[in-house]
């Protein structure tokens, strides 16, 4: 659990991020973080969300996240974690989705995801859950980001 937090802190620093991302076994780090997202306890889930949010904040990290074999599993769980009973986990999940949406490729992935838009919209409307202000702000910012780019024309 603390390792995920440490990975996140390293990813925040440009010099450390480039070294970490160039490690041969970084894929296994992403796999371990993905497993932590599904942990029964809040601490590992929160720290994994934090690490993924830090990863998605750089172009190289963003590309690694979306290019990872588990990227759909990661996005699926982040959407679920937005309604986590642990407020910090929910907030970090929302921050991560916003970070994914910070790059054009991420916007398209979030738009194409089966439930991102509908879950975010439901949360803004109230959806039976009272959100803290900081979480609601992240959800609204992500929805704003998803609405900015025009949809791609259908290929014929």
């Amino acid at each position: 659990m603390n390792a995920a937090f440490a990975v996140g802190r390293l990813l925040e620093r440009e010099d450390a991020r480039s070294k970490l991302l160039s490690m041969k076994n970084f894929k296994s780090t992403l796999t371990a973080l993905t497993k932590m997202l599904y942990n029964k306890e809040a601490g590992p889930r929160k720290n994994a969300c934090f690490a993924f949010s830090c990863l998605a904040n750089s172009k190289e990290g963003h590309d690694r996240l979306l290019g990872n074999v588990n990227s759909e599993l990661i996005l699926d769980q982040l959407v679920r974690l937005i309604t986590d009973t642990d407020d910090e986990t929910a907030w970090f999940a929302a921050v991560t989705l916003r970070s994914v949406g910070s790059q054009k490729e991420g916007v398209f992935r979030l738009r194409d995801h089966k439930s991102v838009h509908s879950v975010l919209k439901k949360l803004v409307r109230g959806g039976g859950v009272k959100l803290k202000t900081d979480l609601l702000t992240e959800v609204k910012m992500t929805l704003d980001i998803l609405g900015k780019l025009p949809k791609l024309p259908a290929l014929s």
Side-chain angles (χ1 to χ4, degrees):
M1 174 173 78
N2 290 334
F5 183 77
V7 167
R9 295 298 298 200
L10 288 170
L11 289 166
E12 288 180 315
R13 295 185 40 197
E14 189 173 335
D15 59 330
R17 179 178 49 245
S18 63
K19 289 177 184 172
L20 191 59
L21 293 176
S22 67
M23 290 174 41
K24 289 182 183 180
N25 64 347
F26 189 71
K27 275 186 181 178
S28 63
T29 301
L30 291 179
T31 300
L33 289 171
T34 302
K35 289 178 183 177
M36 289 177 75
L37 284 177
Y38 288 86
N39 196 293
K40 291 179 184 178
E41 295 183 27
R45 291 192 311 264
K46 174 176 50 182
N47 287 347
C49 286
F50 170 69
F52 279 123
S53 71
C54 295
L55 179 66
N57 277 330
S58 71
K59 174 68 174 140
E60 185 181 7
H62 190 274
D63 292 347
R64 294 290 284 279
L65 175 61
L66 293 183
N68 185 274
V69 66
N70 294 317
S71 64
E72 279 304 306
L73 290 174
I74 294 166
L75 293 177
D76 289 346
Q77 187 63 353
L78 289 170
V79 172
R80 286 184 203 103
L81 291 176
I82 289 178
T83 58
D84 198 277
T85 56
D86 180 76
D87 292 336
E88 288 183 334
T89 301
W91 183 77
F92 276 121
V95 166
T96 305
L97 287 174
R98 181 182 48 79
S99 296
V100 169
S102 70
Q103 309 264 343
K104 184 168 57 171
E105 301 84 10
V107 171
F108 293 131
R109 284 290 295 278
L110 294 180
R111 281 182 174 176
D112 289 343
H113 189 272
K114 62 184 180 268
S115 60
V116 168
H117 196 266
S118 62
V119 168
L120 295 178
K121 282 286 229 189
K122 183 177 178 181
L123 289 171
V124 167
R125 288 193 305 262
V129 178
K130 176 75 171 136
L131 299 182
K132 291 199 171 199
T133 304
D134 55 347
L135 176 55
L136 183 59
T137 300
E138 290 295 329
V139 168
K140 286 180 177 180
M141 288 185 345
T142 304
L143 280 172
D144 287 346
I145 289 168
L146 294 179
K148 287 183 180 175
L149 289 174
K151 290 195 177 223
L152 290 175
L155 298 175
S156 47

